[in-house]
Amino acid sequence: MTLKAIIFDLDGVITDTAHLHFLAWRSVARQIGITIDEAFNESLKGISRMDSLQRILQHGGKSAAYSDKECLKLAGEKNDLYVRSLAGLTPDSLLPGIREVLRDIRAAQVRIGLASVSLNAPTILDALGIKGAFDFCADASRILCSKPDPEIFLAACQGLNVRPDEAIGVEDAAAGVEAINAAGMMSVGIGNDLHHAGLILPSTRELTWPCLSDFWASRHHPDSNR
Ligand code: B16
Ligand code: MG
């Protein structure tokens, strides 16, 4: 079977906005007397804005303390802080190796997709100057279930006109790797503790086209076990 598409997560794979999400949530959480650290933040990666807030409230033992209206206000405050921090993003904010891997995937005539549940994804791609690198970006505003549900990856496959088993997904979050696997795609995890990924790479530096095509071939060669 031929590899037809590679579908990327955004936050933490294309650029390091995962850290900016953390700083904004930490500030809002602090205002309501909840402390979160980087370790807790791992559990927010790939999770939608409102679901992230619920997890933070639960973490602080305040699940029932805020009305829906108050929750919307808190999430809005977080987003304002986050969007303000995005002003510092430039094409130099791409993570190491990303520009090169996008170029090489395109040269190999494999389609490129984006599967981010962030409503700010279009702004971020604009700031990084790489909107044109993607053949299709799934629309986060149409997604009902955030990762680990496979919905966003399935939407990206559909938009690219490929079957999930013809595609590789790349993620930095455990929930994202689960979403890729649940979609029936091959998964690449960037970073630590992503034990369910088919291939784990320490950083985006190792995410090269030869590495991706070797990974694909290792599972589709007639002598492989799958
Ligand atoms: P926003 P991804 C996710 O993006 C982030 O990992 C997650 O931390 C964030 O809460 C979510 O987007 C929603 O983002 O508040 O900007 O709509 O990892 O799917 O690219
Ligand atoms: Mg991510």
Side-chain angles (χ1 to χ4, degrees):
M1 200 189 304
T2 314
L3 171 62
K4 292 207 176 140
I6 303 198
I7 300 176
F8 289 82
D9 168 50
L10 176 62
D11 292 319
V13 171
I14 301 284
T15 187
D16 192 20
T17 36
H19 187 64
L20 301 179
H21 278 293
F22 168 62
L23 295 178
W25 276 129
R26 187 178 64 176
S27 166
V28 169
R30 196 181 281 149
Q31 282 173 42
I32 55 172
I34 299 176
T35 305
I36 61 168
D37 59 16
E38 298 258 16
F40 174 78
N41 188 56
E42 286 301 311
S43 70
L44 301 183
K45 288 184 176 177
I47 307 299
S48 73
R49 199 180 303 166
M50 295 312 288
D51 289 351
S52 297
L53 176 61
Q54 287 312 321
R55 286 191 186 203
I56 292 168
L57 294 177
Q58 200 175 9
H59 176 70
K62 299 190 177 189
S63 290
Y66 297 91
S67 67
D68 288 354
K69 202 174 156 197
E70 287 166 330
C71 285
L72 279 173
K73 187 164 173 280
L74 288 169
E77 284 170 21
K78 180 266 173 177
N79 193 52
D80 289 347
L81 286 173
Y82 176 65
V83 168
R84 237 174 283 152
S85 69
L86 293 179
L89 283 189
T90 71
D92 288 339
S93 313
L94 284 174
L95 281 168
I98 291 298
R99 187 182 303 286
E100 294 76 10
V101 76
L102 291 173
R103 178 197 63 204
D104 295 349
I105 296 169
R106 177 153 307 280
Q109 297 186 321
V110 168
R111 277 164 252 177
I112 303 177
L114 188 80
S116 169
V117 298
S118 172
L119 297 167
N120 293 297
T123 311
I124 295 170
L125 292 186
D126 257 351
L128 296 171
I130 54 161
K131 217 167 211 170
F134 294 87
D135 296 297
F136 182 78
C137 297
D139 182 352
S141 69
R142 289 170 174 263
I143 297 300
L144 298 177
C145 306
S146 64
K147 301 162 186 176
D149 191 282
E151 188 180 359
I152 188 97
F153 282 98
L154 292 174
C157 286
Q158 201 175 15
L160 290 166
N161 200 20
V162 300
R163 292 198 319 261
D165 65 356
E166 296 172 320
I168 293 176
V170 186
E171 264 286 350
D172 71 317
V177 168
E178 252 184 80
I180 296 171
N181 292 342
M185 302 162 63
M186 281 173 61
S187 55
V188 176
I190 309 287
N192 304 317
D193 300 326
L194 298 171
H195 308 297
H196 297 294
L199 174 69
I200 304 169
L201 300 174
S203 79
T204 52
R205 277 190 189 85
E206 291 75 31
L207 184 70
T208 61
W209 168 244
C211 163
L212 288 164
S213 55
D214 283 356
F215 174 46
W216 182 263
S218 73
R219 302 299 169 92
H220 293 86
H221 189 273
D223 294 333
S224 75
N225 293 328
R226 283 188 57 182

